[in-house]
């Protein structure tokens, strides 16, 4: 397997100050532009097995910034699954993003479910930004068979169980942002442990 690109940028966050917030884009790209570019190139050109390894490895120990899925496709349609106002007076929506036009020819389908909370005005003023969101699950389907041994290799160092039922191999992972992996012959669904979510300040 190829050597992984530098991954520090996936886990970098800012101190919550007004000065940093309004300069965050320049601060981030001054520090990580080349690393982000190298990551994108790796994701687009690595082998299929390396892609599967990367997908799992970056979520194994710490919840990352969203980047991996951007290297697969940027073309998505959204579908609202559920919306409500919570006790903090935040508008909450859970949305499914269905992707197409993939940059990897092994990928035949991708769906991502996100949880988003929009702040009321007083919270926006206090925190400078207006909402928070995190990925709940990531589903990828392939036109090739999923290499199970690569999943096991990517999870090395973690305690997990593995049970097969109705043609689905279910991994349950302890002490990880990955709550579980549901693996079929041609697909992987990565479910997030919401207790391990990190709400990163957006760089956009």
């Amino acid at each position: 397997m190829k050597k992984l690109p530098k991954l520090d940028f996936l886990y970098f966050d800012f101190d919550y100050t007004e000065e940093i917030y309004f300069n965050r884009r320049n601060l981030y790209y001054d520090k990580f532009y080349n690393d982000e570019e190298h990551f994108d190139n790796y994701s687009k050109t690595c082998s299929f097995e390396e892609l599967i390894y990367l997908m799992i490895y970056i979520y194994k120990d710490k919840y990352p910034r969203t980047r991996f899925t951007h290297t697969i496709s940027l073309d998505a349609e959204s579908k609202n699954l559920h919306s409500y106002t919570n006790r903090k007076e935040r508008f909450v929506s859970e949305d499914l993003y269905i992707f197409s036009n993939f940059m990897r020819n092994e990928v035949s389908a991708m769906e991502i479910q996100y949880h988003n909370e929009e702040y009321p005005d007083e919270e926006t003023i206090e925190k400078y930004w207006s909402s928070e969101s995190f990925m709940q699950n990531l589903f990828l389907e392939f036109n090739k068979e999923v290499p199970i041994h690569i999943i096991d290799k990517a999870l090395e160092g973690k305690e997990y169980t593995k049970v097969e039922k109705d043609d689905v191999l279910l991994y349950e992972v302890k002490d990880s942002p990955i709550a579980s992996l549901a693996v079929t012959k041609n697909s992987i669904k990565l479910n997030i442990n919401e207790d391990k979510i990190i709400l990163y300040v957006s760089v956009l």
Side-chain angles (χ1 to χ4, degrees):
M1 296 180 70
K2 292 181 184 177
K3 182 180 179 181
L4 288 174
K6 293 181 180 178
L7 301 175
D8 289 351
F9 77 95
L10 291 172
Y11 313 103
F12 175 79
D13 209 0
F14 299 94
D15 292 330
Y16 298 117
T17 69
E18 183 175 2
E19 179 182 1
I20 287 177
Y21 179 78
F22 287 109
N23 290 285
R24 67 195 187 283
R25 184 177 177 86
N26 289 336
L27 290 169
Y28 175 84
Y29 283 108
D30 284 349
K31 187 176 181 68
F32 293 117
Y33 176 79
N34 288 333
D35 293 348
E36 189 176 271
E37 185 177 35
H38 291 159
F39 179 86
D40 291 354
N41 289 335
Y42 179 93
S43 302
K44 293 171 185 175
T45 62
C46 66
S47 70
F48 177 61
E49 289 191 352
E50 288 165 338
L51 183 73
I52 300 301
Y53 183 91
L54 183 67
M55 171 188 176
I56 296 164
Y57 182 83
I58 62 175
Y59 284 95
K60 180 175 73 171
D61 292 314
K62 189 175 181 181
Y63 182 81
R65 288 181 172 275
T66 300
R67 191 67 200 177
F68 174 79
T69 54
H70 289 176
T71 68
I72 306 298
S73 175
L74 295 173
D75 185 6
E77 294 182 2
S78 62
K79 175 183 178 182
N80 179 255
L81 302 176
H82 187 47
S83 297
Y84 60 94
T85 300
N86 67 12
R87 288 179 294 178
K88 295 181 179 179
E89 297 301 316
R90 296 175 176 177
F91 178 75
V92 177
S93 63
E94 293 183 0
D95 300 297
L96 183 68
Y97 291 84
I98 303 167
F99 290 78
S100 57
N101 297 323
F102 301 108
M103 299 172 194
R104 296 282 314 211
N105 59 21
E106 305 96 335
V107 179
S108 55
M110 180 167 73
E111 296 180 355
I112 309 172
Q113 186 172 325
Y114 274 98
H115 175 97
N116 184 72
E117 298 187 20
E118 296 181 14
Y119 297 159
D121 289 345
E122 58 270 23
E123 276 196 278
T124 300
I125 293 169
E126 177 185 344
K127 297 182 178 179
Y128 311 120
W129 58 97
S130 61
S131 65
E132 61 188 49
S133 65
F134 58 85
M135 189 182 84
Q136 295 173 296
N137 57 67
L138 165 62
F139 172 81
L140 277 166
E141 186 176 67
F142 309 101
N143 56 28
K144 300 178 69 171
E145 190 168 337
V146 174
I148 301 300
H149 70 284
I150 293 296
I151 297 176
D152 293 331
K153 184 173 180 62
L155 288 174
E156 282 181 359
K158 285 296 181 186
E159 185 178 349
Y160 62 89
T161 59
K162 185 166 60 170
V163 178
E164 187 168 9
K165 184 179 180 182
D166 298 328
D167 297 323
V168 176
L169 185 60
L170 181 65
Y171 290 78
E172 293 188 345
V173 188
K174 293 186 178 181
D175 191 28
S176 170
I178 302 173
S180 64
L181 296 163
V183 184
T184 70
K185 181 179 179 181
N186 298 102
S187 71
I188 302 174
K189 185 175 183 181
L190 187 158
N191 298 298
I192 291 295
N193 175 1
E194 296 187 8
D195 291 337
K196 297 289 187 177
I197 292 297
I198 297 174
L199 298 173
Y200 292 101
V201 176
S202 172
V203 296
L204 300 178

